Amino acid sequence: MNRSSGARLCTTVAVGALSLALITGCAESGSDDAKGSDPASAAPAAKALSAAELKKLIIAQGDVEGYDVKAPDAQFPASKSEVQVDKAECEPLAYAMSGLAPGESAGDARNMATEQKSPTDTASQSMQDMTEGEFEDAFSDALSVNMTAVGLSSYDGDAAATTFKSVSDAIAACAGGFTVTAKGAEQKVLKVATEKGSGTGDESVAFSASMEMEGQAAPGTVHAEVARHGGTLATYYTINMGALMTGEKYEIPAAVVDAQAAKLK
C-alpha cells in the first residue's frame, strides 16, 4: 500500500463508519446477562431524570483513566430525525449505535470516550524513511484506538424496561441485517449477533454488528451494549478504525462501562 492509497483508505473507512454515526459486533437470541424474562413487568416504577440531571451523571474527563472524554463532535447525528432505518424493528439498535436514546426518553445526555494512544517507535520517523511494511504498521497502529460513544437516557414508569426489551428483541429480529442512513450517508449492516454483556445495572444486553466497508472486501465489526439502571438506560458503542482495517478483534472497554456504571449507583 502506498502513502496516497493509505490516506484514501483511511478516509474511506472513516466515512463508512461515520454513516453509522459513530464518528469520528451468533449466540442465543437475547442476552445471558438480562435478568428476568419479562423486565417490563418486573421493573419498579421510576421517575425520569432530566437532561440536566443526566449530564451530571454521564462520564466526564477524569472519570476514566487512560481515556479522553468530551462531547461528540458534529459528525454525530444531533437527533433521531437524522437517522433513518429501513426496518422499524431495528431502530433501537441504530439509535444505540448513534449514541442516541433507543426509546422515547424524557431526557438524555452523551459523551465520547477516546483511548489515549502512546507514541510508537516509528512515530518519530519520517514517512520517507519508512519501509513499506513500517508505513503500513504505523498507519494501522495510529488508528488502533477504541472510541466509545456513551449515552444516558431516562424514562418514566416502566418505559426503561420496555425500551430495554425492544433492544433485546431487535437483536434477534435484525440478525439478518438492516440498512441505516445517518446524516445522509447510507450504511448496510450485514449481520447482528448477541455478545456477552457486562452484567452491570439491573440488566444488560450486548451485540455486534458486521457492516459493509467501502474499499474493503471483508466486513467490519462494531460493538454495542445497553444496560438498564432503574429508569435510566446506558448505551455504549465502540469502534476501532485500525482494527476495522486489519480485522483484529476488539471489544467495548470494561473501564468505560465500569466508570459509567459506578456513577449510576
Side-chain angles (χ1 to χ4, degrees):
M1 180 175 73
N2 59 38
R3 276 70 168 162
S4 59
S5 65
R8 288 196 299 273
L9 177 58
C10 178
T11 301
T12 298
V13 173
V15 171
L18 275 172
S19 62
L20 273 180
L22 207 254
I23 357 245
T24 10
C26 208
E28 303 83 4
S29 59
S31 168
D32 289 339
D33 301 283
K35 305 180 183 72
S37 59
D38 189 358
S41 61
K47 179 174 175 55
L49 300 176
S50 67
E53 291 173 310
L54 291 175
K55 190 173 182 179
K56 295 178 181 179
L57 291 173
I58 197 165
I59 56 169
Q61 183 64 23
D63 288 336
V64 193
E65 185 176 356
Y67 285 80
D68 291 319
V69 182
K70 61 182 180 180
D73 58 34
Q75 293 175 328
F76 271 88
S79 68
K80 293 178 181 178
S81 64
E82 295 181 338
V83 180
Q84 292 81 44
V85 187
D86 65 337
K87 299 177 182 178
E89 63 269 27
C90 303
E91 287 179 349
L93 305 186
Y95 294 150
M97 294 166 70
S98 302
L100 299 168
E104 293 302 318
S105 65
D108 57 82
R110 54 182 177 163
N111 267 340
M112 172 73 74
T114 302
E115 183 182 14
Q116 295 171 346
K117 188 74 174 179
S118 300
T120 63
D121 292 338
T122 59
S124 60
Q125 283 185 259
S126 168
M127 290 177 59
Q128 286 71 27
D129 296 334
M130 291 183 184
T131 65
E132 199 69 25
E134 287 175 334
F135 175 79
E136 290 183 11
D137 290 343
F139 184 73
S140 61
D141 185 70
L143 295 176
S144 294
V145 175
N146 286 326
M147 295 173 285
T148 304
V150 182
L152 296 181
S153 55
S154 196
Y155 306 78
D156 282 313
D158 63 1
T162 301
T163 300
F164 177 88
K165 186 176 185 302
S166 75
V167 175
S168 183
D169 290 345
I171 295 172
C174 304
F178 58 94
T179 299
V180 56
T181 302
K183 295 179 73 72
E186 183 178 287
Q187 178 70 58
K188 181 170 290 187
V189 176
L190 303 174
K191 181 177 70 173
V192 175
T194 301
E195 293 193 319
K196 182 175 177 60
S198 64
T200 56
D202 300 299
E203 49 191 348
S204 62
V205 65
F207 64 94
S208 63
S210 299
M211 60 187 186
E212 285 186 345
M213 299 295 293
E214 186 178 351
Q216 291 190 190
T221 300
V222 294
H223 305 273
E225 176 171 346
V226 178
R228 183 176 66 82
H229 300 257
T232 297
L233 296 183
T235 62
Y236 309 92
Y237 175 49
T238 298
I239 190 168
N240 184 309
M241 304 301 290
L244 286 176
M245 293 171 59
T246 63
E248 294 181 8
K249 293 184 178 181
Y250 67 99
E251 58 190 18
I252 298 172
V256 174
V257 177
D258 291 345
Q260 183 58 78
K263 297 191 73 169
L264 292 172
K265 288 182 178 179

